[in-house]
Amino acid sequence: MATAMPWKARVLTLYPAMFPGPLGQSLAGRALSEGRWSLAVVDIRDFARDKHRTVDDTPCGGGPGMVMRPDVLAAAIDETVAAAQAEDPAVAQQPLIYFSPRGRRLDQALVHEVKAAGGATLLCGRFEGVDERLLDARPIVEVSLGDFVLSGGEIAAYALIDAVVRLLPGVMGAEESGTEESFADGLLEYPQYTRPQVWEDRAVPEVLLSGHHEKIAAWRRDQAEKITAARRPDLWESYRRRKPAGKN
Ligand code: SAH
């Protein structure tokens, strides 16, 4: 019987030394060395066609900065995906993501989709970004980390990979920490407390020390709803639409 391959990220970057970087530490780092996920890092510059290993050129029409060439990027993508697919046919179904401020905003739903796909190919831009024709010519999904501009896609790749890896089987200590946390049910997380029981005259809420599991669960649900309503009206609205009042 064929065993499923561990979740795999293929990262295309001009800065391969940035990987695994932070993903080599803590939870993700331990999981990487345990083989619960794997990482292939591809140096885009290896696919340049001239002796200067050029990957970018000036923008047509003028303007500041440089633009990444479509021919070099397409060669890097095509060879990477073809090689991966030869090892694992499932790669054909896995997303090809270009990190870009114009993309779909990364959220927990997208993290679950990328996890379920079994892996992803991640293109990290630099300079002013990539030639638009590349985005039209390949089945690329653009993903944004948020409404701000990074100097490169690598930090967005860290974020996506980290968010996926912590959900993989055996990576987090307690399985529940994945199901109870923020966004799991459309709400932000309830407040957490630990020892000391009183700190700077502030006591841990009594109910949490009661040992009464139902009351604790009800209190946490109530807090999660209050915090979500106050801080994220957008999440609160869709939560309420899915879950009519009074039906808990
Ligand atoms: N000129 C572009 C920004 C380029 S920033 C623009 O105005 O949209 C250089 C690279 O950083 C991009 O190609 C992209 O890969 C990455 N990047 C920048 N901001 C990002 C964000 N918010 N989310 C994901 N990737 C981002």
Side-chain angles (χ1 to χ4, degrees):
M1 205 183 82
T3 44
M5 309 270 260
W7 190 86
K8 181 161 189 171
R10 294 167 291 277
V11 179
L12 281 65
T13 171
L14 288 173
Y15 297 94
M18 286 179 76
F19 292 88
L23 300 169
Q25 303 289 316
S26 187
L27 221 63
R30 198 175 328 119
L32 183 59
S33 54
E34 288 169 355
R36 297 187 195 276
W37 67 287
S38 74
L39 177 66
V41 183
V42 175
D43 186 349
I44 294 168
R45 219 169 271 287
D46 289 345
F47 296 85
R49 283 134 194 254
D50 62 330
K51 70 171 196 289
H52 301 294
R53 312 224 305 152
T54 309
V55 295
D56 57 333
D57 211 327
T58 53
C60 294
M66 301 294 274
V67 176
M68 295 175 86
R69 293 172 55 118
D71 51 350
V72 176
L73 291 173
I77 291 168
D78 294 349
E79 286 191 36
T80 301
V81 172
Q85 217 170 302
E87 263 179 51
D88 179 8
V91 169
Q93 261 53 258
Q94 295 176 1
L96 169 57
I97 290 171
Y98 167 57
F99 293 108
S100 150
R102 303 189 313 185
R104 168 178 169 189
R105 178 80 71 88
L106 180 62
D107 62 12
Q108 197 67 4
L110 181 53
V111 169
H112 279 282
E113 285 172 36
V114 174
K115 173 190 173 239
T121 304
L122 310 175
L123 172 61
C124 303
R126 281 274 159 180
F127 321 123
E128 293 307 317
V130 307
D131 186 302
E132 188 73 18
R133 291 168 295 174
L134 179 83
L135 305 175
D136 298 331
R138 295 293 180 276
I140 290 174
V141 193
E142 292 183 62
V143 172
S144 170
L145 212 55
D147 292 343
F148 47 87
V149 182
L150 297 164
S151 56
E154 289 78 7
I155 286 173
Y158 292 158
L160 173 57
I161 294 171
D162 182 85
V164 168
V165 164
R166 61 193 290 287
L167 298 178
L168 296 173
V171 174
M172 267 188 292
E175 283 304 324
E176 315 84 69
S177 39
T179 56
E180 283 215 1
E181 66 193 359
S182 291
F183 311 115
D185 56 4
L187 293 174
L188 299 176
E189 198 184 53
Y190 49 78
Q192 300 273 16
Y193 299 87
T194 184
R195 276 175 278 273
Q197 210 166 303
V198 178
W199 172 74
E200 293 192 349
D201 294 331
R202 295 161 192 270
V204 170
E206 197 103 26
V207 60
L208 299 179
L209 309 169
S210 68
H212 194 303
H213 297 296
E214 274 164 43
K215 277 189 189 157
I216 292 172
W219 181 86
R220 285 178 165 168
R221 163 70 48 174
D222 182 58
Q223 290 288 313
E225 290 184 351
K226 286 195 172 109
I227 288 171
T228 307
R231 297 187 189 182
R232 291 291 303 275
D234 56 324
L235 289 180
W236 179 240
E237 213 24 68
S238 45
Y239 172 78
R240 281 216 307 196
R241 233 177 293 123
R242 271 183 291 121
K243 213 169 189 186
K247 279 196 194 161
N248 262 319

